[in-house]
Amino acid sequence: MTMTFHASLRSGLAAAAIGFFAVAAVTPMPARAQPAPAVQQDPALAAEIGKVNAYTGLMNRTLRAVESWQRYASWVDMRRGPTGRERYISYGLYSLYDVTRELAAARQAMVSPPERPALDEAVGRYILAYEALAPLITRAERYYDRQDYRDDRMAEGRALHEQMVPAAQEFLAARAALEGQMRAMRADLDLRELADIEAREGRSARWQIRNTMIQARAVINALPPRGQRQVDMAALDEAIAGYSAAIREIDRYKERDPQGLSMFEGRASSWLGSLREFRQKLGRSRGDIRRVGNEATWLVNNYNMLVSLAGTAMSMSRMRR
């Protein structure tokens, strides 16, 4: 499971694609050439992964609300509210996704073992905040898409603005709190899951993918929060070094299995080269991320592509076993 959502600079760069990449909680298929039965996944770990995956699904799907609010805020004077004379009023808002299944899964996970009181409560607050904001966004999206403000002189638009601002603030605060809880739990599960895969399979293709994506996420997490310009260069250097070590581990694996990771390895290696170029430019700008143009956005977008490819590669690696 590679965490990919951020409500910070990282969401500002590529909010649509950055979410949590769910962990694979799957009992491994027996290896074709191995008569011995495969070691089963730790049930306690599988239960925790299931809970996090349910919350992950909800956060990924409801990220659309963050994007929609950012869209609205890009053309509205948030203090004054809409007037109908805005230059980019046609931007409106993004429509939201149906999250019925994700809400149901998250609510079930909240009451399912293992108990994680702080995390479960944070999810409950997040659900309430989302359900308060979502109907307002939906009404506003339709209002601006239909240009109803031309008929009522922006009366409903102003009324919606007064309701949406506090609801959005509550939602974003709840999401930030939940992100913190998820990040802490994910860090622990990452290490446990990686150790579990190694115990069952050795440093297999799946181990290589998971290890690489854990290190890749550390690089993304080293980028500054939204609104901040200065990169912690020491933290970024440490993260890049960790990712580089993961790529070297893949190189060693490829010596044993040249056909393994054929889809994943090339993209992962290329991303390392991009990271080093990005680091060099940041060094020249003394860590000011705003002085490297669109490099950060490009880097995050390619990370998101790597996340998607990792999911496919994980599935294919299970089929090869």
Side-chain angles (χ1 to χ4, degrees), residues 96 130-140 160:
L96 300 184
Y130 177 81
E131 290 184 327
L133 176 63
L136 298 173
I137 286 181
T138 296
R139 284 174 54 193
L160 282 169

mmCIF file with all atom_site columns, all heavy atoms in Angstrom, residues 96 130-140 160:
data_model
loop_
_atom_site.group_PDB
_atom_site.id
_atom_site.type_symbol
_atom_site.label_atom_id
_atom_site.label_alt_id
_atom_site.label_comp_id
_atom_site.label_asym_id
_atom_site.label_entity_id
_atom_site.label_seq_id
_atom_site.pdbx_PDB_ins_code
_atom_site.Cartn_x
_atom_site.Cartn_y
_atom_site.Cartn_z
_atom_site.occupancy
_atom_site.B_iso_or_equiv
_atom_site.pdbx_formal_charge
_atom_site.auth_seq_id
_atom_site.auth_comp_id
_atom_site.auth_asym_id
_atom_site.auth_atom_id
_atom_site.pdbx_PDB_model_num
ATOM 1   N N   . LEU A 1 96  ? -19.223 15.981 -7.850 1.00 0.00 ? 96  LEU A N   1
ATOM 2   C CA  . LEU A 1 96  ? -18.653 14.982 -6.946 1.00 0.00 ? 96  LEU A CA  1
ATOM 3   C C   . LEU A 1 96  ? -18.976 13.572 -7.424 1.00 0.00 ? 96  LEU A C   1
ATOM 4   O O   . LEU A 1 96  ? -19.903 13.354 -8.191 1.00 0.00 ? 96  LEU A O   1
ATOM 5   C CB  . LEU A 1 96  ? -19.200 15.187 -5.532 1.00 0.00 ? 96  LEU A CB  1
ATOM 6   C CG  . LEU A 1 96  ? -18.916 16.547 -4.899 1.00 0.00 ? 96  LEU A CG  1
ATOM 7   C CD1 . LEU A 1 96  ? -19.440 16.584 -3.464 1.00 0.00 ? 96  LEU A CD1 1
ATOM 8   C CD2 . LEU A 1 96  ? -17.431 16.893 -4.937 1.00 0.00 ? 96  LEU A CD2 1
ATOM 9   N N   . TYR A 1 130 ? -17.785 15.600 5.550  1.00 0.00 ? 130 TYR A N   1
ATOM 10  C CA  . TYR A 1 130 ? -18.015 15.429 4.114  1.00 0.00 ? 130 TYR A CA  1
ATOM 11  C C   . TYR A 1 130 ? -19.508 15.487 3.804  1.00 0.00 ? 130 TYR A C   1
ATOM 12  O O   . TYR A 1 130 ? -19.925 16.141 2.829  1.00 0.00 ? 130 TYR A O   1
ATOM 13  C CB  . TYR A 1 130 ? -17.436 14.101 3.631  1.00 0.00 ? 130 TYR A CB  1
ATOM 14  C CG  . TYR A 1 130 ? -17.714 13.852 2.169  1.00 0.00 ? 130 TYR A CG  1
ATOM 15  C CD1 . TYR A 1 130 ? -16.923 14.452 1.191  1.00 0.00 ? 130 TYR A CD1 1
ATOM 16  C CD2 . TYR A 1 130 ? -18.785 13.054 1.765  1.00 0.00 ? 130 TYR A CD2 1
ATOM 17  C CE1 . TYR A 1 130 ? -17.187 14.258 -0.158 1.00 0.00 ? 130 TYR A CE1 1
ATOM 18  C CE2 . TYR A 1 130 ? -19.052 12.864 0.414  1.00 0.00 ? 130 TYR A CE2 1
ATOM 19  C CZ  . TYR A 1 130 ? -18.249 13.463 -0.534 1.00 0.00 ? 130 TYR A CZ  1
ATOM 20  O OH  . TYR A 1 130 ? -18.529 13.279 -1.874 1.00 0.00 ? 130 TYR A OH  1
ATOM 21  N N   . GLU A 1 131 ? -20.307 14.820 4.603  1.00 0.00 ? 131 GLU A N   1
ATOM 22  C CA  . GLU A 1 131 ? -21.745 14.779 4.330  1.00 0.00 ? 131 GLU A CA  1
ATOM 23  C C   . GLU A 1 131 ? -22.407 16.138 4.538  1.00 0.00 ? 131 GLU A C   1
ATOM 24  O O   . GLU A 1 131 ? -23.488 16.389 3.991  1.00 0.00 ? 131 GLU A O   1
ATOM 25  C CB  . GLU A 1 131 ? -22.397 13.718 5.205  1.00 0.00 ? 131 GLU A CB  1
ATOM 26  C CG  . GLU A 1 131 ? -22.005 12.303 4.787  1.00 0.00 ? 131 GLU A CG  1
ATOM 27  C CD  . GLU A 1 131 ? -22.714 11.215 5.575  1.00 0.00 ? 131 GLU A CD  1
ATOM 28  O OE1 . GLU A 1 131 ? -22.998 11.449 6.776  1.00 0.00 ? 131 GLU A OE1 1
ATOM 29  O OE2 . GLU A 1 131 ? -22.978 10.140 5.001  1.00 0.00 ? 131 GLU A OE2 1
ATOM 30  N N   . ALA A 1 132 ? -21.769 17.010 5.301  1.00 0.00 ? 132 ALA A N   1
ATOM 31  C CA  . ALA A 1 132 ? -22.287 18.374 5.443  1.00 0.00 ? 132 ALA A CA  1
ATOM 32  C C   . ALA A 1 132 ? -21.928 19.227 4.227  1.00 0.00 ? 132 ALA A C   1
ATOM 33  O O   . ALA A 1 132 ? -22.716 20.066 3.783  1.00 0.00 ? 132 ALA A O   1
ATOM 34  C CB  . ALA A 1 132 ? -21.738 19.018 6.713  1.00 0.00 ? 132 ALA A CB  1
ATOM 35  N N   . LEU A 1 133 ? -20.735 19.021 3.689  1.00 0.00 ? 133 LEU A N   1
ATOM 36  C CA  . LEU A 1 133 ? -20.270 19.843 2.572  1.00 0.00 ? 133 LEU A CA  1
ATOM 37  C C   . LEU A 1 133 ? -20.774 19.353 1.215  1.00 0.00 ? 133 LEU A C   1
ATOM 38  O O   . LEU A 1 133 ? -21.114 20.170 0.352  1.00 0.00 ? 133 LEU A O   1
ATOM 39  C CB  . LEU A 1 133 ? -18.736 19.874 2.563  1.00 0.00 ? 133 LEU A CB  1
ATOM 40  C CG  . LEU A 1 133 ? -18.069 20.624 1.402  1.00 0.00 ? 133 LEU A CG  1
ATOM 41  C CD1 . LEU A 1 133 ? -18.441 22.113 1.430  1.00 0.00 ? 133 LEU A CD1 1
ATOM 42  C CD2 . LEU A 1 133 ? -16.553 20.441 1.440  1.00 0.00 ? 133 LEU A CD2 1
ATOM 43  N N   . ALA A 1 134 ? -20.816 18.049 1.010  1.00 0.00 ? 134 ALA A N   1
ATOM 44  C CA  . ALA A 1 134 ? -21.095 17.499 -0.326 1.00 0.00 ? 134 ALA A CA  1
ATOM 45  C C   . ALA A 1 134 ? -22.403 18.007 -0.942 1.00 0.00 ? 134 ALA A C   1
ATOM 46  O O   . ALA A 1 134 ? -22.410 18.388 -2.128 1.00 0.00 ? 134 ALA A O   1
ATOM 47  C CB  . ALA A 1 134 ? -21.092 15.970 -0.259 1.00 0.00 ? 134 ALA A CB  1
ATOM 48  N N   . PRO A 1 135 ? -23.522 18.047 -0.204 1.00 0.00 ? 135 PRO A N   1
ATOM 49  C CA  . PRO A 1 135 ? -24.754 18.539 -0.839 1.00 0.00 ? 135 PRO A CA  1
ATOM 50  C C   . PRO A 1 135 ? -24.646 19.998 -1.265 1.00 0.00 ? 135 PRO A C   1
ATOM 51  O O   . PRO A 1 135 ? -25.240 20.388 -2.278 1.00 0.00 ? 135 PRO A O   1
ATOM 52  C CB  . PRO A 1 135 ? -25.809 18.368 0.269  1.00 0.00 ? 135 PRO A CB  1
ATOM 53  C CG  . PRO A 1 135 ? -25.236 17.365 1.208  1.00 0.00 ? 135 PRO A CG  1
ATOM 54  C CD  . PRO A 1 135 ? -23.760 17.584 1.184  1.00 0.00 ? 135 PRO A CD  1
ATOM 55  N N   . LEU A 1 136 ? -23.897 20.782 -0.527 1.00 0.00 ? 136 LEU A N   1
ATOM 56  C CA  . LEU A 1 136 ? -23.719 22.193 -0.883 1.00 0.00 ? 136 LEU A CA  1
ATOM 57  C C   . LEU A 1 136 ? -22.904 22.326 -2.167 1.00 0.00 ? 136 LEU A C   1
ATOM 58  O O   . LEU A 1 136 ? -23.227 23.141 -3.041 1.00 0.00 ? 136 LEU A O   1
ATOM 59  C CB  . LEU A 1 136 ? -23.030 22.941 0.261  1.00 0.00 ? 136 LEU A CB  1
ATOM 60  C CG  . LEU A 1 136 ? -23.785 22.980 1.589  1.00 0.00 ? 136 LEU A CG  1
ATOM 61  C CD1 . LEU A 1 136 ? -22.923 23.610 2.675  1.00 0.00 ? 136 LEU A CD1 1
ATOM 62  C CD2 . LEU A 1 136 ? -25.106 23.738 1.434  1.00 0.00 ? 136 LEU A CD2 1
ATOM 63  N N   . ILE A 1 137 ? -21.849 21.533 -2.274 1.00 0.00 ? 137 ILE A N   1
ATOM 64  C CA  . ILE A 1 137 ? -21.037 21.558 -3.497 1.00 0.00 ? 137 ILE A CA  1
ATOM 65  C C   . ILE A 1 137 ? -21.878 21.126 -4.698 1.00 0.00 ? 137 ILE A C   1
ATOM 66  O O   . ILE A 1 137 ? -21.798 21.724 -5.778 1.00 0.00 ? 137 ILE A O   1
ATOM 67  C CB  . ILE A 1 137 ? -19.796 20.663 -3.348 1.00 0.00 ? 137 ILE A CB  1
ATOM 68  C CG1 . ILE A 1 137 ? -18.778 21.338 -2.425 1.00 0.00 ? 137 ILE A CG1 1
ATOM 69  C CG2 . ILE A 1 137 ? -19.170 20.365 -4.705 1.00 0.00 ? 137 ILE A CG2 1
ATOM 70  C CD1 . ILE A 1 137 ? -17.502 20.548 -2.234 1.00 0.00 ? 137 ILE A CD1 1
ATOM 71  N N   . THR A 1 138 ? -22.680 20.097 -4.512 1.00 0.00 ? 138 THR A N   1
ATOM 72  C CA  . THR A 1 138 ? -23.520 19.613 -5.607 1.00 0.00 ? 138 THR A CA  1
ATOM 73  C C   . THR A 1 138 ? -24.502 20.691 -6.058 1.00 0.00 ? 138 THR A C   1
ATOM 74  O O   . THR A 1 138 ? -24.687 20.918 -7.269 1.00 0.00 ? 138 THR A O   1
ATOM 75  C CB  . THR A 1 138 ? -24.279 18.351 -5.176 1.00 0.00 ? 138 THR A CB  1
ATOM 76  O OG1 . THR A 1 138 ? -23.333 17.309 -4.900 1.00 0.00 ? 138 THR A OG1 1
ATOM 77  C CG2 . THR A 1 138 ? -25.226 17.884 -6.268 1.00 0.00 ? 138 THR A CG2 1
ATOM 78  N N   . ARG A 1 139 ? -25.124 21.369 -5.106 1.00 0.00 ? 139 ARG A N   1
ATOM 79  C CA  . ARG A 1 139 ? -26.051 22.455 -5.456 1.00 0.00 ? 139 ARG A CA  1
ATOM 80  C C   . ARG A 1 139 ? -25.315 23.576 -6.178 1.00 0.00 ? 139 ARG A C   1
ATOM 81  O O   . ARG A 1 139 ? -25.801 24.103 -7.191 1.00 0.00 ? 139 ARG A O   1
ATOM 82  C CB  . ARG A 1 139 ? -26.725 22.995 -4.203 1.00 0.00 ? 139 ARG A CB  1
ATOM 83  C CG  . ARG A 1 139 ? -27.819 22.104 -3.632 1.00 0.00 ? 139 ARG A CG  1
ATOM 84  C CD  . ARG A 1 139 ? -28.319 22.654 -2.296 1.00 0.00 ? 139 ARG A CD  1
ATOM 85  N NE  . ARG A 1 139 ? -28.744 24.052 -2.408 1.00 0.00 ? 139 ARG A NE  1
ATOM 86  C CZ  . ARG A 1 139 ? -28.983 24.831 -1.353 1.00 0.00 ? 139 ARG A CZ  1
ATOM 87  N NH1 . ARG A 1 139 ? -28.835 24.353 -0.125 1.00 0.00 ? 139 ARG A NH1 1
ATOM 88  N NH2 . ARG A 1 139 ? -29.366 26.072 -1.535 1.00 0.00 ? 139 ARG A NH2 1
ATOM 89  N N   . ALA A 1 140 ? -24.140 23.922 -5.674 1.00 0.00 ? 140 ALA A N   1
ATOM 90  C CA  . ALA A 1 140 ? -23.376 25.012 -6.282 1.00 0.00 ? 140 ALA A CA  1
ATOM 91  C C   . ALA A 1 140 ? -22.881 24.641 -7.676 1.00 0.00 ? 140 ALA A C   1
ATOM 92  O O   . ALA A 1 140 ? -22.903 25.472 -8.596 1.00 0.00 ? 140 ALA A O   1
ATOM 93  C CB  . ALA A 1 140 ? -22.195 25.383 -5.381 1.00 0.00 ? 140 ALA A CB  1
ATOM 94  N N   . LEU A 1 160 ? -25.258 30.186 -0.834 1.00 0.00 ? 160 LEU A N   1
ATOM 95  C CA  . LEU A 1 160 ? -24.455 28.967 -0.820 1.00 0.00 ? 160 LEU A CA  1
ATOM 96  C C   . LEU A 1 160 ? -23.040 29.248 -0.324 1.00 0.00 ? 160 LEU A C   1
ATOM 97  O O   . LEU A 1 160 ? -22.456 28.455 0.420  1.00 0.00 ? 160 LEU A O   1
ATOM 98  C CB  . LEU A 1 160 ? -24.400 28.350 -2.217 1.00 0.00 ? 160 LEU A CB  1
ATOM 99  C CG  . LEU A 1 160 ? -25.636 27.574 -2.667 1.00 0.00 ? 160 LEU A CG  1
ATOM 100 C CD1 . LEU A 1 160 ? -25.562 27.256 -4.160 1.00 0.00 ? 160 LEU A CD1 1
ATOM 101 C CD2 . LEU A 1 160 ? -25.779 26.281 -1.863 1.00 0.00 ? 160 LEU A CD2 1
#
